[in-house]
Amino acid sequence: MTRDINADLAGQFTASSLSPLVLCRIGTAQGDVRMWSGIGSLAYAGEEWLGGGDFLGVSEITETADVQANGVTFSLSGVSPELVDMALRQIRQGLPAQILIAAMGDDGALVGDPLQVFSGKTDVPVITDDAASCVIGLTAENALVDLERARTRRYTDQDQKAEYPGDSGFEFVTRLQEMEISWGQGLG
């Protein structure tokens, strides 16, 4: 997939020294959670991004030339019980998730515009809690996953009205199944 990359950012990727970073945005019931791969807060696009440092993880992002749904997994380790409770209450299936890559200049500011490398929808969170640590994992799938889902639509009045409430086009379908129609009689 081709992307338009900011010239300044492309220059940073080919420079002798590179300070890459990852920005993650995950939708929740209370609004977006924005985190980045560094420490402390980062201002970008008029928003504050919370630093996750080594506690923030993102799985490998794969792309193919085929039309195929690829997903990604976000993880946050070393979390408090309050954060686990918040994740269980606020993370919803089907909300937006996004990953951007960027580079930081020597002055600590982002160079150019970050490049979006993933955009999709969230699944439900998975909490792994043992004696040593607690990890919140969240999988996100890109929009192509909808192509793989079975469509369960029926030719019934209920199904049609669920999609189009005022439509009565299937109202008599059940009577047609039992109806006997004699073709060609009475002519002559």
Side-chain angles (χ1 to χ4, degrees):
M1 175 174 172
T2 60
R3 292 191 175 90
D4 293 329
I5 186 168
N6 179 281
D8 294 332
L9 182 60
Q12 280 292 311
F13 289 151
T14 58
S16 60
S17 66
L18 175 64
S19 297
L21 56 101
V22 177
L23 300 160
C24 301
R25 180 190 313 261
I26 298 171
T28 71
Q30 298 296 316
D32 290 345
V33 171
R34 294 173 301 279
M35 296 189 78
W36 72 290
S37 58
I39 298 172
S41 64
L42 173 74
Y44 165 65
E47 300 171 324
E48 286 294 314
W49 297 69
L50 178 64
D54 291 337
F55 299 106
L56 177 65
V58 178
S59 69
E60 181 178 334
I61 300 169
T62 58
E63 289 188 349
T64 63
D66 301 328
V67 177
Q68 167 181 332
N70 295 317
V72 67
T73 302
F74 300 92
S75 64
L76 188 60
S77 61
V79 296
S80 67
E82 293 82 23
L83 193 56
V84 170
D85 183 54
M86 184 197 77
L88 291 173
R89 284 185 290 111
Q90 294 185 12
I91 295 177
R92 302 280 188 272
Q93 190 173 15
L95 293 176
Q98 180 183 41
I99 299 174
L100 307 162
I101 58 170
M104 189 173 285
D106 294 333
D107 60 354
L110 294 182
V111 176
D113 294 324
L115 177 66
Q116 179 176 294
V117 293
F118 177 83
S119 179
K121 303 280 184 186
T122 58
D123 202 353
V124 293
V126 176
I127 311 296
T128 307
D129 189 9
D130 58 23
S133 68
C134 184
V135 178
I136 300 172
L138 181 65
T139 303
E141 297 287 342
N142 70 15
L144 292 176
V145 76
D146 284 339
L147 295 175
E148 297 173 358
R149 288 199 175 101
R151 304 290 185 239
T152 52
R153 296 292 315 261
R154 308 282 187 251
Y155 292 109
T156 65
D157 188 43
Q158 285 179 317
D159 189 65
Q160 185 68 8
K161 285 189 176 167
E163 189 78 20
Y164 306 100
D167 191 353
S168 59
F170 284 95
E171 196 171 313
F172 304 105
V173 169
T174 54
R175 277 197 250 162
L176 287 173
Q177 293 173 351
E178 305 292 326
M179 186 177 287
E180 192 172 310
I181 301 174
S182 301
W183 292 98
Q185 294 181 0
L187 296 175

